[in-house]
Amino acid sequence: MKHPLFIYNTLTRRKEHFVPLNEDRVGMYVCGPTVYGDPHLGHARPSITFDILFRYLQQLGYKVRYVRNITDVGHLEHDADEGEDKIAKKARLEQLEPMEIAQFYTRRYHMAMDALNVLPPSIEPHATGHIIEQEELVKEILANGYAYESNGSVYFDVEKYNRDHHYGKLSGRNLEEVKNASRELDGVGEKHNQADFALWKKAQPEHIMRWPSPWSDGFPGWHCECTAMGRKYLGNHFDIHGGGMDLVFPHHECEIAQAVASQGDDMVHYWMHNNMITINGQKMGKSLGNFITLEQFFNGDHAALTQAYSPMTIRFFILQAHYRGTADFSNDALQAAEKAYERMMDGWHRLLALKAAPSSSITLEDYATRCAEAMNDDLNTPVVIATLFDACRVINQVNDGSATLSQADIDSLKQLFTTYLFNVLGLRDNASGEGNGIDLTPYQKAVELLLEVRRNAKAAKDWGTSDLIRDRLAEAGFDIKDTKDGVEWKVR
Ligand code: ZN
């Protein structure tokens, strides 16, 4: 399969031609959420970024096995090796079972992803369902001499590993920098070295999430799950591992070390990372008062929001930025995205209603090639969007009567929108149902019928019926606009 997709590999720090390990199959793993709270913007960006990659690889004809995990154990309060488990803490505060917490927030996460039109991954493994695999990984690393047991816990020996391999090759750090950065934290405790990280933690008596192991009753270190589950479902060597930039260090650096220490070589071919989201130029954080959940965006119920924003506005906003660039949320930026998204959908609706002429008065640009080239250039979604807007300008010209298009050209534009706007960018049109996977044809026909009755009423100067239909459709959530050529309508 030949195609020129280039993706930026964090490991080599350059764009590389994507060549899968198996000819027509791609294995990709993306770090999923830790399920102890409502999904927020920080969840939206990686899920949408890798949804685009998932969709585009399939568009190119690959069979993709996409694994995105659910972290339901081992993610400790300080993202380090200390502190209470985030899920266990929530369970303690709410007097629930940890699995009730994990189940509840996994469901909330799925609902938010569905709203954002993020396709479900092929496999969504849970860390707690793979304790045995994680213990096996720890045993292998111990057997190879890159870990040590200390007081019932097992730690990765970073110093020793770094003598044989390079610890820090993904994040571009060296061991001295890592040690200096972690020196301010409290003492080494049961670790030999502050830079070492936990592979297995002995549970304190009050710790409720625990499993038996050769070392102690305890739980796996956070980094183990992705190495163990990636290997289980994608094999010892697979194509793509993704996640947010905040995971490069320590999480992904530790994953690389675990893989090399256990199997002798790297597991992942291409590492990809999306940049972070800020709100009004600030990092999002509970203490800053700008922590906004996705549900709050959707219903506008937050002091920092002047209105509600639809899931498609959020998706469109995220795709207007390249995934490796920053994206700064503000009411102004979101309102602009909302208008832009509506303009795009207006273009699509006008395209559906265009009447073909015997011939085209203008030559269409090769928009599909421009879109493909943009996607092949490390998923450059802003350029795809700009190209579709160029196509919208032509549609508007034809709609205004200042240009004509043949049926073949109209069909090629429809194909362009279906492929790139709906299939690749994953946007959804609530009016035509495109991108929803639902056939809204009967419902469209019903609206068209009402509009036809209204047209006849107007022709017969029956203004009462005409106004009644317009007003009732407006009440039901339809925008009806009379134009010189007839009527345009859409769902608000
Ligand atoms: Zn992970």
Side-chain angles (χ1 to χ4, degrees):
M1 191 173 309
K2 278 207 170 124
H3 64 82
L5 170 61
F6 280 73
I7 49 178
Y8 184 88
N9 190 345
T10 314
L11 190 60
T12 57
R13 291 168 184 72
R14 59 187 174 84
K15 283 185 202 171
E16 291 179 20
H17 185 193
F18 176 69
V19 182
L21 295 166
N22 297 306
E23 203 182 339
D24 60 348
R25 286 168 191 273
V26 176
M28 74 185 241
Y29 187 100
V30 172
C31 293
T34 303
V35 281
Y36 70 103
D38 264 337
H40 52 77
L41 272 185
H43 292 109
R45 197 161 194 205
S47 59
I48 289 175
T49 297
F50 293 101
D51 184 52
I52 296 295
L53 179 62
F54 184 34
R55 287 165 178 272
Y56 190 56
L57 288 169
Q58 292 181 92
Q59 179 71 35
L60 291 175
Y62 290 113
K63 287 194 176 66
V64 186
R65 182 178 295 165
Y66 176 17
V67 181
R68 189 185 66 205
N69 66 305
I70 294 283
T71 296
D72 54 1
V73 65
H75 201 164
L76 305 185
E77 274 288 279
H78 306 297
D79 285 4
D81 299 330
E82 299 306 325
E84 198 172 358
D85 184 288
K86 290 184 174 185
I87 291 160
K89 181 183 178 187
K90 187 99 180 172
R92 176 172 62 76
L93 293 174
E94 302 199 358
Q95 295 189 311
L96 294 168
E97 271 293 312
M99 283 306 104
E100 287 181 282
I101 298 292
Q103 186 70 50
F104 180 79
Y105 288 111
T106 300
R107 171 109 184 94
R108 308 270 292 170
Y109 178 73
H110 286 162
M111 282 160 57
M113 292 304 112
D114 284 349
L116 290 168
N117 213 22
V118 168
L119 298 173
S122 329
I123 305 176
E124 194 173 48
H126 290 230
T128 53
H130 298 78
I131 301 293
I132 290 168
E133 287 84 349
Q134 296 181 70
E135 288 190 19
E136 289 303 314
L137 174 72
V138 177
K139 284 180 199 165
E140 284 170 34
I141 299 172
L142 273 169
N144 291 343
Y146 290 112
Y148 55 89
E149 194 181 336
S150 177
N151 192 28
S153 292
V154 179
Y155 291 97
F156 192 94
D157 190 340
V158 172
E159 189 102 38
K160 168 143 193 231
Y161 174 83
N162 192 56
R163 281 200 291 274
D164 302 336
H165 309 280
H166 175 196
Y167 180 76
K169 68 178 179 180
L170 182 70
S171 57
R173 300 176 194 214
N174 62 47
L175 186 55
E176 282 315 304
E177 285 166 1
V178 175
K179 283 193 199 162
N180 288 338
S182 48
R183 200 154 279 159
E184 289 124 43
L185 300 171
D186 37 18
V188 292
E190 53 192 29
K191 294 184 196 176
H192 292 172
N193 197 309
Q194 185 54 258
D196 296 348
F197 59 90
L199 297 172
W200 185 264
K201 287 288 280 183
K202 179 181 175 178
Q204 297 305 307
E206 67 277 10
H207 198 102
I208 43 181
M209 298 178 82
R210 53 169 69 218
W211 291 265
S213 82
W215 316 290
S216 62
D217 268 16
F219 54 94
W222 171 39
H223 313 305
C224 284
E225 63 178 276
C226 295
T227 308
M229 298 191 294
R231 176 150 76 190
K232 177 170 174 121
Y233 296 109
L234 299 171
N236 281 16
H237 303 100
F238 61 85
D239 298 298
I240 300 167
H241 192 315
M245 238 169 61
D246 55 334
L247 296 178
V248 170
F249 190 89
H251 186 51
H252 291 162
E253 199 71 75
C254 294
E255 277 192 47
I256 289 177
Q258 289 171 161
V260 174
S262 62
Q263 68 182 38
D265 59 3
D266 277 316
M267 191 176 278
V268 175
H269 203 167
Y270 302 90
W271 284 90
M272 292 178 73
H273 294 92
N274 64 277
N275 208 323
M276 301 284 92
I277 272 170
T278 52
I279 297 185
N280 297 312
Q282 279 188 310
K283 232 185 123 179
M284 189 170 75
K286 289 220 160 80
S287 55
L288 294 168
N290 66 357
F291 187 89
I292 310 175
T293 67
L294 287 170
E295 193 179 355
Q296 286 168 330
F297 272 102
F298 301 160
N299 63 26
D301 185 17
H302 190 283
L305 300 176
T306 53
Q307 63 169 85
Y309 297 99
S310 77
M312 284 306 105
T313 297
I314 303 284
R315 185 171 180 114
F316 194 81
F317 177 81
I318 285 175
L319 294 177
Q320 279 180 313
H322 187 265
Y323 76 91
R324 284 191 292 116
T326 52
D328 187 42
F329 274 70
S330 65
N331 282 293
D332 287 348
L334 283 170
Q335 281 160 11
E338 184 175 56
K339 289 207 175 71
Y341 169 68
E342 279 174 10
R343 271 206 319 279
M344 183 74 84
M345 288 305 156
D346 285 347
W348 165 246
H349 296 150
R350 284 181 192 134
L351 173 61
L352 290 179
L354 283 191
K355 303 252 181 322
S359 66
S360 298
S361 67
I362 41 173
T363 308
L364 285 185
E365 278 184 60
D366 191 352
Y367 300 113
T369 299
R370 274 170 60 189
C371 287
E373 283 171 357
M375 286 305 290
N376 287 336
D377 181 18
D378 195 28
L379 313 180
N380 200 335
T381 55
V383 171
V384 175
I385 290 174
T387 305
L388 292 171
F389 273 127
D390 283 351
C392 283
R393 269 190 283 280
V394 172
I395 293 165
N396 289 340
Q397 283 173 23
V398 178
N399 190 54
D400 293 348
S402 56
T404 61
L405 285 179
S406 66
Q407 190 61 49
D409 278 345
I410 290 174
D411 289 346
S412 84
L413 285 175
K414 284 182 185 167
Q415 186 60 47
L416 173 79
F417 276 70
T418 304
T419 303
Y420 285 98
L421 187 63
F422 299 115
N423 293 351
V424 173
L425 296 185
L427 287 159
R428 199 159 45 192
D429 172 27
N430 291 330
S432 72
E434 197 68 51
N436 268 329
I438 319 168
D439 182 11
L440 292 181
T441 319
Y443 144 105
Q444 275 173 307
K445 282 188 174 156
V447 176
E448 296 292 349
L449 171 68
L450 282 167
L451 292 174
E452 191 183 323
V453 173
R454 178 165 173 262
R455 219 163 24 244
N456 293 340
K458 276 172 106 174
K461 297 197 170 18
D462 176 3
W463 309 119
T465 304
S466 158
D467 289 352
L468 179 77
I469 291 173
R470 187 198 56 210
D471 295 347
R472 287 290 171 84
L473 281 173
E475 271 173 42
F478 295 91
D479 271 337
I480 309 292
K481 202 168 105 193
D482 290 302
T483 66
K484 63 177 168 48
D485 307 319
V487 182
E488 278 187 3
W489 66 274
K490 65 179 180 187
V491 181
R492 262 200 303 283

